[in-house]
Amino acid sequence: MNIPLLAGSIFAIFCIYLLGRALSDYQKSVASLKWPGVEGRLTDLRLWGKRNIDGEMQDAEKLIVGYEYEFKGGQYKGSSATFYTLVYPETVEFARSHSANSDVVVYCNPKAPDESVLVPGPRKDKPYSDCILGGLGVAAGLVVAVLGYLGVIG
């Protein structure tokens, strides 16, 4: 059995899935810049995942949000702060600027109102980062698979 071929192929397929998600999220993030903002209520706001901050282990790595909003007479719930991956310190900054049970502006897709986000648009400083990471994963998986197939490794 050619382990590098198998492992590289599986990794490439997994990264193709991740790349597809990243491209879809990027398209949604760009589209969200044109979505209407409606009033909503933040129902859940939690940080989790320990990180050493100033010598103390604190929850800061990941962010969970939940919110409710009304659009054209329908009641909806959402759980997306952004369409890109929030990482520390963005998670903490978001949590500091919002609080559970507070009013928020929710940007919802007028064609599919159950699709929504709290921060519209792609990441300002690295708009393609998730797409690049997915593409690099696909490339790495294919390289390992091809090298395994050719017998260079394994």
Side-chain angles (χ1 to χ4, degrees):
M1 173 184 274
N2 191 330
I3 299 296
L5 173 61
L6 181 62
S9 299
I10 290 170
F11 186 71
I13 291 167
F14 176 68
C15 288
I16 288 170
Y17 164 76
L18 292 179
L19 178 60
R21 289 285 310 256
L23 291 170
S24 173
D25 286 347
Y26 177 76
Q27 289 174 332
K28 288 178 188 178
S29 71
V30 170
S32 71
L33 291 169
K34 296 179 182 177
W35 293 352
V38 298
E39 289 183 26
R41 176 156 297 281
L42 198 58
T43 57
D44 190 14
L45 176 65
R46 288 178 281 152
L47 289 168
W48 65 277
K50 298 291 185 194
R51 182 178 186 93
N52 187 340
I53 302 172
D54 298 327
E56 184 181 333
M57 295 304 287
Q58 299 177 18
D59 285 323
E61 284 295 323
K62 305 288 181 190
L63 176 74
I64 295 173
V65 297
Y67 51 88
E68 298 174 342
Y69 59 101
E70 184 178 326
F71 184 74
K72 294 187 177 180
Q75 296 289 327
Y76 300 94
K77 292 182 180 187
S79 61
S80 297
T82 64
F83 282 121
Y84 52 87
T85 304
L86 278 178
V87 294
Y88 175 83
E90 296 167 316
T91 54
V92 173
E93 291 167 5
F94 186 94
R96 284 184 183 148
S97 63
H98 297 81
S99 61
N101 297 315
S102 64
D103 292 335
V104 290
V105 176
V106 177
Y107 297 88
C108 67
N109 184 345
K111 295 177 182 173
D114 59 330
E115 185 174 53
S116 61
V117 70
L118 297 177
V119 180
R123 180 186 300 277
K124 304 261 186 280
D125 57 342
K126 302 173 195 166
Y128 309 108
S129 60
D130 290 346
C131 297
I132 291 169
L133 188 59
L136 288 173
V138 171
L142 290 175
V143 165
V144 169
V146 168
L147 291 176
Y149 177 75
L150 297 174
V152 176
I153 58 176

